[in-house]
Amino acid sequence: MGNPGEERATKVEDIVQEVFNAYKTNHHASQFVLQREKHFHYLKRGLRQLTEAYECLDASRPWLCYWILHSLELLEEPIPESVTSDICQFLSRCQSPQGGFGGGPGQHPHLAPTYAAVNALCIIGTEEAFNVIDRKKLLEYLHSLKQPDGSFLMHVGGEVDVRSAYCAASVASLTNVLTPTLFAGTAEWIARCQNWEGGIGGVPGMEAHGGYTFCGVAALVILKKEHLLNLRSLLHWVTSRQMRFEGGFQGRCNKLVDGCYSFWQAGLLPLLHRALHARGDAALSMTHWMFDQSALQEYILLCCQCPAGGLLDKPGKSRDFYHTCYCLSGLAIAQHFGSGDLHHEVVLGIPENRLQATHPVYNIAPEKVVKAVLHFLQQPVPSPEPEATAATAD
Ligand SMILES: [Zn+2]
């Protein structure tokens, strides 16, 4: 006792206990309800602001586009074509002449908004959306960030961490600019970020963290190199992050539960399931992921919904689009087991709580991944422009 971390954890357990108690006294059994309408209205308001207040100096506009569009697709709420067209035009203004996307029009490109913009455009999935992406410039931009050790910078002159490898692999694979040269050494560099705990840190030697672990594993799945990891110790690390009392996940050992890790941590289990299956592991379930899917749904539905719409980290925190996106994404992971023909649903509460499934690597709808990949496969991989040619061209 007396450990401040422990006291904070006890306090969160107390708050969650209060929520559970209030729920038990006010409701009959099995009445967990996802407040769809409320969340839809919150997201719709956000969408309107996105397409109205362009002059806003926000540095993460493509992220807002992605968080809101993905939340709406999980809720199966269609977006009017006039709105998606506005978003396409807005994102094209965020695209840099050097390739990649910035946080807003005229800003320097950065891998994080590049990832968000490409995901948002793939969710829209129209010809207009696909045509926004300058693939040749995108490939040049990715090359400009590549480091000799296989890692990527987040932006020119910026820092290296495992997020950049995921963002690069994600956008390159969706838009068919993934080349062996571009990712030479990347998988081996990511594998070095796995530490003694079993999870993955931001760079080699760092503490394991849910966000970085997701990025590292998802990037390795894209690069088809999951076998470079110690999958058993990774499985042990991630399953130990689901909180026994709250049912949600923590980001790191000894930290508090947080709704957004419902995706960053639980999203790892489909990836691990696949990797272990490929290895011929005979003990794998054919109906459930290796975490308590009902307990996670209970935490999200009881503790992460803002009564006015939107979702949040934990009771007492305020809602935002980031937590709305990742709580709903985690809920979708917990509801849907498997992919393709092998599919099993575990929907806690009323049937209307069911969300659209999400692709565990890209976190957009699986059919949107297929559509984007098929679209860009028809276009050849651009060859990076040799510098000599560029110089003689002027
Ligand atoms: Zn969070």
Side-chain angles (χ1 to χ4, degrees), residues 258 260 322-323:
D258 177 345
C260 64
Y322 166 82
H323 284 92

Side-chain angles (χ1 to χ4, degrees), residues 38-99:
K38 296 271 169 52
H39 302 323
F40 173 56
H41 284 295
Y42 171 62
L43 292 161
K44 213 167 69 177
R45 261 207 320 276
L47 201 59
R48 228 179 359 244
Q49 286 162 8
L50 269 187
T51 53
E52 276 168 7
Y54 286 154
E55 66 284 354
C56 165
L57 281 174
D58 207 319
S60 58
R61 288 256 143 165
W63 276 115
L64 291 171
C65 293
Y66 164 61
W67 293 330
I68 294 174
L69 290 177
H70 181 53
S71 300
L72 289 169
E73 76 170 341
L74 289 171
L75 291 166
E76 297 181 271
E77 294 289 354
I79 303 143
E81 219 182 284
S82 60
V83 177
T84 57
S85 187
D86 280 351
I87 295 175
C88 289
Q89 285 167 34
F90 171 70
L91 289 174
S92 81
R93 292 173 49 213
C94 295
Q95 190 166 223
S96 160
Q98 306 151 54

Side-chain angles (χ1 to χ4, degrees), residues 311-368:
L311 291 96
L312 37 93
D313 163 349
K314 60 174 76 56
K317 297 273 179 163
S318 48
R319 63 182 175 177
D320 56 59
F321 293 114
Y322 166 82
H323 284 92
T324 301
C325 170
Y326 291 104
C327 285
L328 291 176
S329 303
L331 186 59
I333 295 282
Q335 290 177 344
H336 299 268
F337 170 85
S339 61
D341 293 337
L342 183 64
H343 190 239
H344 181 78
E345 290 180 12
V346 184
V347 178
L348 188 77
I350 56 170
E352 292 74 27
N353 290 350
R354 184 188 181 277
L355 295 174
Q356 149 83 281
T358 193
H359 193 295
V361 171
Y362 300 99
N363 200 22
I364 64 181
E367 57 271 23
K368 295 297 173 62

Side-chain angles (χ1 to χ4, degrees), residues 100-123:
F101 293 77
Q107 294 187 23
H108 288 296
H110 187 291
L111 269 179
T114 298
Y115 165 85
V118 169
N119 262 4
L121 291 165
C122 290
I123 293 171

